Each structure stands twice: as structure tokens, then as C-alpha cells.
Amino acid sequence: MKTIIIDTSHSLLAVGLVEDGKIIHSRQEVVQKKQSEYLLLYVDELMKEAQWKPKDLDRLVITDGPGSYTGMRIGITFAKTLALTHPTMEVFTVDTLLSLMGKTTGFAFIDARSKRVFGAYGDEGAIRDERVYQFEELSDITCDMFGDTSLFGEVNRYGNVIENILAVESSWVLVEDSDLLVPRYIK
């Protein structure tokens, strides 16, 4: 089974190719709002390395939020377009915050601007209490934190997004109709 995994929902762009549960090629970089410039390049580069064609793909997994409004729209539009041209491919969504922590227990968050973050607690691939948090609320959190930790003077803790998404396969949500696929925003 050949799967492409994509995350465009925050400062990172991550693209990975997975065959039979093993990552065969991946690329993850901080692109700071340039997902639209690099997504197709990364996909093309990795597909060439793997010697795959789009018709070879069995599944596509895309993060659907919470996250950057524009970044998520770029990823979702790519997913919808690929699904339109490849109607037998299954499309799945996965929570952006799980992409940062996988099955690890802790709190994942990304910058939501204005001294706020999109955040949630995660445990073994399950998310709870996903919402917008004010910066001051984060000082009460005592578990491991993942994501945009540079907001508090630390090195960002993104981990390997493709590995994290693959690890939480049981949390992927099958999209029945890719035409209805939309980003999941938290207000």
C-alpha cells in the first residue's frame, strides 16, 4: 500500500511517502508561510526519488487543523485536486496537533497569534481539550510540551511529523467525499 502524508498547517511543510507502513522518503522543513511555493516541489522530488507516479498512490493523509488558515487551505486544495484526478485513492485527515506528538503523552500547540495558541492534550494518539489557549494558561501545564515552544524561549519541538502521523494511523479519519473536505478551524 502506497501512501502520501502531507502537513501544511503551520510553519512546517512535511511530505512523506510510505509503503506498507514504512517511510521510504520524507522531507520536513520550516517554510514560514511558503507552503504554496514548496508543496508541489517537495511532492515531485519525493515521487521521483521513489519512482512513483500519482496513479500509484493508494492513500493520501492530510492534516486538517487546527492551524494556519492559508496553510491548511493549500494542503486541502492539493488533496482535493489529487483525489479528483485519482478517484480510487482513499483520503484521510489527521489532527495537526497529533502530527507534533504522535503517540506521546503531553500538550501540543501552535501559534494562533495575539498571545494565543491552538492546543490540546494528547495521550497514545488521542486528543482532548482541543481549543484556543491564552499564553498565561500554558504556565499551568506541567506535562511535556510539543510544537511552537520558541514562543517561550525554547527550541521548537516538532519531532518527525511524518513518523508521528504514521504512528497515529488509528486516529486517521476516512473522508467519504473529498469534495466536502474542508479545514477544521478553531475559534
Side-chain angles (χ1 to χ4, degrees), residues 16 37 47 60 94 97 115 119 160:
E37 295 176 38
M47 295 285 280
L60 178 144
V94 66
L97 299 172
K115 297 187 178 183
N160 184 312

Side-chain angles (χ1 to χ4, degrees), residues 7 10 12 94-110 118-128 130 141 143-147 157-168:
D7 182 4
H10 48 101
L12 289 179
V94 66
D95 191 294
T96 296
L97 299 172
L98 281 176
S99 77
L100 300 173
M101 64 190 312
K103 286 195 167 220
T104 307
T105 298
F107 184 81
F109 65 96
I110 56 176
F118 300 118
Y121 292 90
D123 186 25
E124 290 298 313
I127 289 287
R128 65 179 168 81
E130 184 176 67
I141 296 172
C143 57
D144 285 339
M145 297 178 88
F146 305 90
R157 292 186 65 193
Y158 298 132
N160 184 312
V161 167
I162 302 303
E163 284 179 5
N164 288 340
I165 291 172
L166 190 57
V168 296

Side-chain angles (χ1 to χ4, degrees), residues 60 62 73 75-87 89-93 174-183:
L60 178 144
I62 185 80
R73 285 184 19 233
I76 295 287
T77 300
F78 176 85
K80 290 171 86 165
T81 303
L82 188 58
L84 182 64
T85 63
H86 190 357
M89 181 182 64
E90 291 182 308
V91 177
F92 295 86
T93 59
L174 179 64
V175 176
E176 296 295 333
D177 183 350
S178 60
D179 287 338
L180 302 177
L181 182 59
V182 293

Side-chain angles (χ1 to χ4, degrees), residues 126-145:
I127 289 287
R128 65 179 168 81
D129 301 328
E130 184 176 67
R131 64 180 176 88
V132 175
Y133 289 80
Q134 302 297 320
F135 275 14
E136 55 269 11
E137 292 179 89
L138 301 184
S139 62
D140 296 332
I141 296 172
T142 57
C143 57
D144 285 339
M145 297 178 88

Side-chain angles (χ1 to χ4, degrees), residues 37-49:
E37 295 176 38
Y38 294 106
L39 177 57
L40 292 176
L41 294 172
Y42 287 14
V43 169
D44 186 55
E45 171 187 299
L46 296 179
M47 295 285 280
K48 284 179 180 172
E49 287 176 17

